Amino acid sequence: DIVLTQSPGTLSLSPGERATLSCRASQSVSSSFLAWYQQKPGQAPRLLIYGASTRATGIPGRFSGSGSGTDFTLTISRLEPEDFAVYYCQQYGSWGTFGQGTRLEIK
Amino acid sequence: QIQLVQSGAEVKKPGASVKVSCKTSGFTFTSYTISWVRQAPGQGLEWLGWIAADSGYSNYAQKLEGRGTMTTDTSTSTAYMELRSLRSDDTAVYFCARGSLFYCTTGVCYGPEDYWGQGTLVTVSS
């Protein structure tokens, strides 16, 4: 099974700053079947990025994804107050698995 | 609009079974997959499995150890997740979510979950 490891565990930044979140896979993720989700307390996850770099419908342009193989990155170019949440990467396709999450908190 | 509406909270004793439902509307149910994901209190997301709504083709997380069964009822556009031999560590919020269905190098694959249910809290306690 593919294991996804996210770093850092917690990221403390201020609104307006740039956030860079990492997701590393234990083996190559086929065809870049890698997605990113945002989750706020008490809510279901929200799909942000799929195919490693394609923004889902309605997702603002400040969110971008990159990477291939075993190393993937979610970048938020300029943090808005509503962006502070927990972010998960996910591998999908035949099977699924989630990373353990990165908590993005206000500094 | 697209909706996935899950059944209400459940309290079960260890060793019992639970069946969570996920009634969908606003899209062609048989053209998609339904995934199940759970989240224990204060913990991260755990993928449980997915099912193709039309064919019933499914894949499960090994961690379920054969205790879980996903089914669909195309006549009511509803998906179900049954979990048997419940343990205290099955206590979690269970989510259903819609995904795409496509063919990949390994056969049939599911896509990322773009619409989610509101979650169902299952509490296992003696």
Side-chain angles (χ1 to χ4, degrees):
Chain A
D1 289 1
I2 293 179
V3 176
L4 299 178
T5 302
Q6 294 186 238
S7 61
T10 301
L11 186 57
S12 299
L13 294 169
S14 300
E17 291 193 292
R18 180 185 185 91
T20 303
L21 287 68
S22 174
C23 177
R24 177 162 290 178
S26 59
Q27 56 187 282
S28 184
V29 176
S30 63
S31 303
S32 294
F33 290 161
L34 193 286
W36 290 92
Y37 295 84
Q38 176 194 69
Q39 188 181 33
K40 297 180 179 179
Q43 296 184 15
R46 174 193 182 195
L47 177 65
L48 300 174
I49 301 286
Y50 63 94
S53 61
T54 302
R55 275 190 302 276
T57 302
I59 301 303
R62 64 181 181 273
F63 290 90
S64 63
S66 62
S68 63
T70 61
D71 289 294
F72 299 88
T73 300
L74 174 70
T75 302
I76 310 172
S77 59
R78 285 182 307 279
L79 286 166
E80 298 286 343
E82 62 268 26
D83 298 337
F84 292 91
V86 180
Y87 291 83
Y88 296 93
C89 60
Q90 181 210 34
Q91 172 256 331
Y92 57 89
S94 296
W95 309 90
T97 188
F98 286 96
Q100 82 279 16
T102 289
R103 180 177 303 276
L104 179 56
E105 64 177 26
I106 299 176
K107 188 173 182 180
Chain B
Q1 71 280 25
I2 294 171
Q3 288 189 307
L4 291 83
V5 179
Q6 298 183 223
S7 49
E10 302 263 13
V11 180
K12 297 291 184 180
K13 294 192 182 302
S17 298
V18 69
K19 193 170 186 177
V20 178
S21 68
C22 172
K23 183 166 178 58
T24 73
S25 60
F27 64 97
T28 304
F29 182 68
T30 51
S31 296
Y32 290 87
T33 64
I34 298 294
S35 298
W36 290 89
V37 174
R38 72 181 178 183
Q39 187 167 37
Q43 302 301 308
L45 302 173
E46 180 181 17
W47 182 82
L48 298 178
W50 67 274
I51 183 168
D54 191 15
S55 68
Y57 178 88
S58 57
N59 267 334
Y60 295 86
Q62 287 188 335
K63 188 177 180 182
L64 284 185
E65 300 168 330
R67 297 186 297 123
T69 301
M70 296 177 293
T71 56
T72 61
D73 182 344
T74 58
S75 68
T76 60
S77 301
T78 302
Y80 300 90
M81 175 73 180
E82 181 179 28
L83 193 57
R84 299 175 294 277
S85 302
L86 288 167
R87 310 186 294 238
S88 58
D89 63 354
D90 291 318
T91 294
V93 174
Y94 288 72
F95 293 100
C96 63
R98 186 189 84 160
S100 59
L101 176 68
F102 61 97
Y103 293 93
C104 54
T105 56
T106 55
V108 179
C109 284
Y110 86 101
E113 294 86 349
D114 56 358
Y115 287 89
W116 293 67
Q118 82 278 18
T120 296
L121 176 62
V122 175
T123 303
V124 183
S125 174
S126 55

